[in-house]
Amino acid sequence: HASHSGEELLELANPIKNMRVLDLCGGDGELATKAKRLGANTVWLVDQESEMLQNKPNIKASVQTAQSFLRECWGNGRMFDRVLCKQAANYILDKNTAKLIHGVLLEDGIFVFNTFHNNPDKKPMIKDYEIEGVSYLEISWLIGDMVHHIQIREGMPCHITEFRWLSPEYLSEILESYFKISIKKG
């Protein structure tokens, strides 16, 4: 799924009420907070960067990589109804991570994420937007096969990353063994 909106990702994961939700690579906890507001029973927020995690009431937080958290959950039987991943799939998704996510989802569980559907532009693309009164600015561009991404969020340090663009074909290849795939462009 390609979208900036946490609401759209949560809509795709409905219902949320009474569910066990994992916000994977959740950063500032936008999805985790909204899932809790929508009545999720238990919410976990995981990010490897401690400065991204802020104290969120009634949300369990873990500072570690997505893969190590998923392995830990699989090992101790912690399961989720919903796994959400906003703007981080390009950093973590590969065949092994898809298997780990599938392994921590309950039988009717849903994994929802967003990513670039089209190959990013070779010229810097600038987006500014606001979520719940907080201003964001993102700059993304492709150099070779790597996407360079800068995110500036009001009240937070600048976040600079680079990652490989994951084509729809690659995503289908790594996910089709574990999930029924549905794509929503937006």
Side-chain angles (χ1 to χ4, degrees), residues 12-78:
L12 293 168
N14 266 329
I16 297 293
K17 188 174 174 100
N18 299 320
M19 297 292 168
R20 287 166 284 194
V21 176
L22 170 58
D23 185 358
L24 202 54
C25 302
D28 65 2
E30 175 202 357
L31 288 180
T33 301
K34 288 179 180 178
K36 196 63 182 169
R37 267 194 237 135
L38 290 171
N41 185 32
T42 303
V43 179
W44 274 91
L45 171 60
V46 177
D47 200 285
Q48 71 180 11
E49 298 184 36
S50 61
E51 69 270 7
M52 293 291 285
L53 296 178
Q54 299 173 0
N55 188 20
K56 302 285 182 192
N58 303 313
I59 295 173
K60 299 174 183 198
S62 182
V63 178
Q64 60 183 309
T65 67
Q67 291 84 354
S68 64
F69 182 82
L70 291 166
R71 279 191 293 276
E72 182 182 292
C73 290
W74 210 356
N76 68 21
R78 186 181 301 132

Side-chain angles (χ1 to χ4, degrees), residues 71-109:
R71 279 191 293 276
E72 182 182 292
C73 290
W74 210 356
N76 68 21
R78 186 181 301 132
M79 302 291 285
F80 298 94
D81 299 289
R82 306 291 182 259
V83 175
L84 311 171
C85 184
K86 181 180 176 201
Q87 298 182 347
N90 292 74
Y91 305 109
I92 65 164
L93 264 184
D94 57 23
K95 187 95 170 159
N96 185 51
T97 306
K99 181 179 179 179
L100 288 168
I101 292 168
H102 181 262
V104 302
L105 272 172
L106 292 164
E107 188 174 323
D108 291 328

Side-chain angles (χ1 to χ4, degrees), residues 3-11 30-31 34 86 131:
S3 167
H4 280 292
S5 170
E7 286 85 12
E8 287 181 49
L9 291 176
L10 288 166
E11 283 174 27
E30 175 202 357
L31 288 180
K34 288 179 180 178
K86 181 180 176 201
I131 299 174

Side-chain angles (χ1 to χ4, degrees), residues 100-130:
L100 288 168
I101 292 168
H102 181 262
V104 302
L105 272 172
L106 292 164
E107 188 174 323
D108 291 328
I110 298 173
F111 170 41
V112 179
F113 66 93
N114 63 351
T115 186
F116 294 94
H117 187 74
N118 297 316
N119 204 349
D121 206 328
K122 292 183 182 191
K123 293 183 191 174
M125 183 174 67
I126 300 171
K127 293 181 182 177
D128 64 23
Y129 53 97
E130 189 175 296

